[in-house]
Amino acid sequence: MAKLIVADDHPLFRNALIHAISNTFVTKATIETDSFEATCEALQQHPDADLLLLDLHMPGNCGFLGLIQLRKQYPTLPIVVISASDDVDVIKRVMAFGASAFIPKSSHPAEIGKALSAVIDGELWVPPAIRSQVMNQQQHQPDLDLAAKVAELTPQQYKVLFYLTEGWLNKQIAYDLHISEATVKAHITAIFRKLGVTNRTQVVIQAQRLQLEAPADKTLVAQ
């Protein structure tokens, strides 16, 4: 039996996923989170978690950036990305950035169970129909180099980076993180150095390379 953390900000998706898992996969506990920050807290509170199911589009995740950070902080934890996307390039990048599996949200419950069982057994899993396309293609080296740089950021620097991509001012970041503006500036200087850039615009441009467009399914749910 496995302890799972299910990270998705939409309750309907999360509940449907948990129901599908419970019907095909034996778990001893399931922890739910609805933001990247809550997911990080859950991982700290449950160091014995066997598996993380992660939605790339949840608040604070910033596309692939959150996956890269979690892979660095928890190198042995299998991370399964659950997404409405079925774009081969997205799946290829997810796997290159350290995920153990990519499961489309449209997958049949039995398929989800097979995927999770494979990951628990130490295997990598992607939908069989596109496995050869994903596994036989090399990832673009500049993206891997950028991912390695992002992985060097501390958790606090990652939060500052996320706020920079959202266009926040230093004083707004300081207020939200309960730190001084001087500390924010120090974090930004460290981000510049680690990413090899010299200003905020360049930071945002670099970060956008590892971001995703908002999924259509969540727009529909919001309506």
Side-chain angles (χ1 to χ4, degrees), residues 10-31:
H10 271 67
L12 289 178
F13 284 132
R14 198 167 61 240
N15 292 340
L17 179 60
I18 291 172
H19 179 70
I21 292 170
S22 66
N23 285 340
T24 58
F25 188 80
V26 180
T27 62
K28 61 183 176 184
T30 302
I31 297 92

Side-chain angles (χ1 to χ4, degrees), residues 68 93 97 139-148 209-210:
I68 293 166
R93 297 175 85 190
F97 295 145
Q139 179 60 32
H140 194 221
Q141 190 58 44
D143 283 349
L144 295 177
D145 293 341
L146 177 57
R209 288 170 49 192
L210 298 177

Side-chain angles (χ1 to χ4, degrees), residues 150-170:
V150 170
E152 292 302 312
L153 300 179
T154 67
Q156 193 79 325
Q157 288 166 2
Y158 170 79
K159 291 179 183 178
V160 173
L161 172 62
F162 172 75
Y163 288 133
L164 291 177
T165 66
E166 295 291 302
W168 285 34
L169 301 174
N170 288 3

Side-chain angles (χ1 to χ4, degrees), residues 111-134:
E111 191 87 334
I112 295 175
K114 289 179 182 178
L116 299 185
S117 295
V119 171
I120 288 294
D121 288 339
E123 301 175 17
L124 299 177
W125 192 94
V126 295
I130 58 171
R131 182 171 297 140
S132 60
Q133 291 176 266
V134 173

Side-chain angles (χ1 to χ4, degrees), residues 22-47:
S22 66
N23 285 340
T24 58
F25 188 80
V26 180
T27 62
K28 61 183 176 184
T30 302
I31 297 92
E32 300 179 44
T33 64
D34 59 4
S35 71
F36 186 77
E37 184 174 1
T39 302
C40 292
E41 291 174 356
L43 286 167
Q44 292 174 354
Q45 295 168 3
H46 301 276

Side-chain angles (χ1 to χ4, degrees), residues 56 61-66 68 89-90 93-94 97 139-150 161 165 194-197 201-213:
L56 294 179
N61 196 18
C62 208
F64 300 110
L65 294 171
I68 293 166
D89 183 62
V90 170
R93 297 175 85 190
V94 161
F97 295 145
Q139 179 60 32
H140 194 221
Q141 190 58 44
D143 283 349
L144 295 177
D145 293 341
L146 177 57
K149 293 176 181 178
V150 170
L161 172 62
T165 66
K194 291 180 179 180
L195 297 189
V197 300
T201 300
Q202 291 176 348
V203 166
V204 173
I205 291 173
Q206 290 286 75
Q208 284 174 342
R209 288 170 49 192
L210 298 177
Q211 290 180 303
L212 294 166
E213 295 182 3

